[in-house]
Amino acid sequence: RHCRAAQSLLRCSATQARQASTLLYVEHSENGTVAPATLSAAAAAKHLPGQLEALVCGSGEAVKHAADAAARLPGVSKVWLASDAALEHPLAETHATLLSSLAARQKPSHIMAASTAQGRNVLPRVAALLATQPVTDVVRIVDDDTFVRPIYAGNAFATVQFKTPPAVRVITVRPTAFPVDQTAAAAGAPGTGGKPAPVEPVPSELLAPLGSVPAAKWESADVRSTGRPELGSAKVVVCGGRALKSAENFAMLEQLADLLGGAVGASRAAVDAGYVANDLQVGQTGKVVAPDLYIGVGISGAIQHLAGMKDSRTIVAINNDSEAPIFSVADYGLEADLFKAVPELIEAVKKV
Ligand code: FAD
């Protein structure tokens, strides 16, 4: 009992020390569009008390567009704009240094980012710089100090609580767990309406040290634009497995995805075999997807793959083995040879 009383006293004094507020790390594309995952993080931030401020880092016109878009996100009361040559590329070292120094100045109670490759790279560094521990991949916010996150590849959920509340709670949130309303989605596009929050430049003394941050060197980015929606936020995902047998055979999944306005994903076995690039991998060590419709083609449904897609609203599985584990999570299962079933499905969809 004494312990609980002490904890609640500590929590109380931590809340008194700093006003409840959240500082959101915004990811954006090269043309200044706020990343869909950040929209989800903004939706998650609504579950926390106090004001929501956003930090947009970059350089040139793109970062200004992104700041304008972030200023229209529902709930955002202020945008911090950090425009500097040292922030031109999304290097975790410089972004984390800036985010932590802004947090040290503004004293938010929470720092939040989406649990994307970039968010997972930046936020733990921020936590280390602020001498605290991050809570990652949050799927539910219980209260200011208590968060639910998946463990054991999504087979169980842990409710974790800061026992001795730190000065600042650093958390990443799983985008698929926090749906984005249409207003927020529209706000993510530049040039949309709504009364924007003020955009304020980050104080120059916080930018000055960035040039000397020991950072990884940015060499180049190899971005392939497919014209399809981003895998992590697509409403339809067509996923292929080892059974596709070649990169060429993935073309039929691309055709099906295009007809359905969806994204293409893959199992790790298909990625390891070199059929598709590894940014298409879905699963425990790939991307987590929760589309309205997931179609798994020639995928067995190993536990590590299920960890990345089992929250999809409707799951369709095509597999020639009736014992394939994916059938245990599928809403619709088709026991068939994919090389016959997928072309038939494509023809059927074309007729709709
Ligand atoms: P297989 O298991 O070989 O399944 C192929 C399926 O295709 C079979 O069910 C077969 O019946 C079916 N099939 C064959 N021919 C046809 C046909 N003509 N028509 C229809 N169906 C057919 N995997 C991931 O996907 N994502 C991850 O993030 C991931 N992370 C991992 C992390 C760790 C630490 C480990 C150890 C493993 C991880 N894996 C991951 C690998 C995972 O365990 C499986 O090996 C992998 O998912 C299998 O991929 P697959 O289903 O494509 O291949």
Side-chain angles (χ1 to χ4, degrees):
R1 202 156 3 116
H2 288 312
C3 225
R4 269 207 298 275
Q7 279 167 19
S8 88
L9 256 177
L10 274 167
R11 200 162 292 133
C12 205
S13 60
T15 316
Q16 279 162 5
R18 42 182 75 208
Q19 283 242 304
S21 64
T22 301
L23 182 57
L24 174 71
Y25 174 69
V26 174
E27 289 180 55
H28 60 88
S29 68
E30 281 184 354
N31 69 4
T33 305
V34 174
T38 295
L39 304 184
S40 299
K46 286 189 198 160
H47 297 272
L48 291 169
Q51 297 217 317
L52 173 61
E53 300 190 355
L55 170 65
V56 185
C57 307
S59 70
E61 285 307 302
V63 72
K64 287 186 196 143
H65 286 309
D68 288 343
R72 290 188 175 84
L73 290 177
V76 169
S77 60
K78 183 188 213 168
V79 173
W80 292 98
L81 168 62
S83 180
D84 192 88
L87 299 166
E88 181 184 358
H89 302 296
L91 287 171
E93 291 88 345
T94 45
H95 283 216
T97 302
L98 178 64
L99 182 50
S100 57
S101 55
L102 182 63
R105 186 179 182 276
Q106 291 306 111
K107 302 200 177 358
S109 54
H110 296 79
I111 301 175
M112 185 184 273
S115 189
T116 57
Q118 178 71 0
R120 289 198 301 258
N121 202 358
V122 172
L123 272 257
R125 294 167 194 268
V126 170
L129 288 165
L130 296 173
T132 184
Q133 170 180 315
V135 173
T136 57
D137 217 13
V138 167
V139 293
R140 193 159 70 82
I141 295 169
V142 181
D143 62 37
D144 306 17
D145 287 321
T146 318
F147 305 94
V148 178
R149 62 186 302 275
I151 53 170
Y152 304 128
N155 285 295
F157 291 93
T159 301
V160 293
Q161 185 180 51
F162 289 104
K163 273 191 161 178
T164 308
V168 58
R169 296 108 176 129
V170 178
I171 59 174
T172 64
V173 294
R174 185 179 277 201
T176 53
F178 296 95
V180 177
D181 64 36
Q182 287 314 307
T183 338
T192 45
K195 191 174 180 304
V199 177
E200 191 172 318
V202 163
S204 53
E205 66 266 24
L206 299 188
L207 297 176
L210 295 179
S212 54
V213 170
K217 186 165 166 265
W218 184 269
E219 287 288 344
S220 64
D222 180 10
V223 182
R224 269 157 280 185
S225 172
T226 60
R228 298 190 189 97
E230 203 269 320
L231 182 56
S233 53
K235 297 257 175 276
V236 177
V237 171
V238 181
C239 240
R242 194 197 315 260
L244 265 294
K245 287 186 182 159
S246 71
E248 292 69 37
N249 287 336
F250 257 82
M252 62 180 162
L253 299 197
E254 289 167 2
Q255 195 184 351
L256 181 57
D258 289 343
L259 285 166
L260 298 170
V264 173
S267 70
R268 175 156 150 186
V271 169
D272 287 350
Y275 304 160
V276 290
N278 60 5
D279 58 341
L280 296 194
Q281 183 176 317
V282 169
Q284 182 189 339
T285 44
K287 292 201 170 126
V288 176
V289 301
D292 291 341
L293 174 62
Y294 164 97
I295 305 177
V297 179
I299 287 183
S300 57
I303 191 168
Q304 297 89 353
H305 186 79
L306 300 186
M309 46 61 72
K310 67 178 164 35
D311 290 333
S312 304
R313 191 166 290 172
T314 302
I315 297 175
V316 175
I318 302 174
N319 198 301
N320 64 2
D321 175 7
S322 63
E323 302 287 312
I326 197 158
F327 286 136
S328 66
V329 296
D331 299 286
Y332 299 93
L334 179 60
E335 189 187 331
D337 183 342
L338 72 92
F339 295 102
K340 188 166 177 293
V342 175
E344 283 176 6
L345 187 54
I346 288 171
E347 289 313 310
V349 174
K350 277 184 186 165
K351 287 184 192 140
V352 176

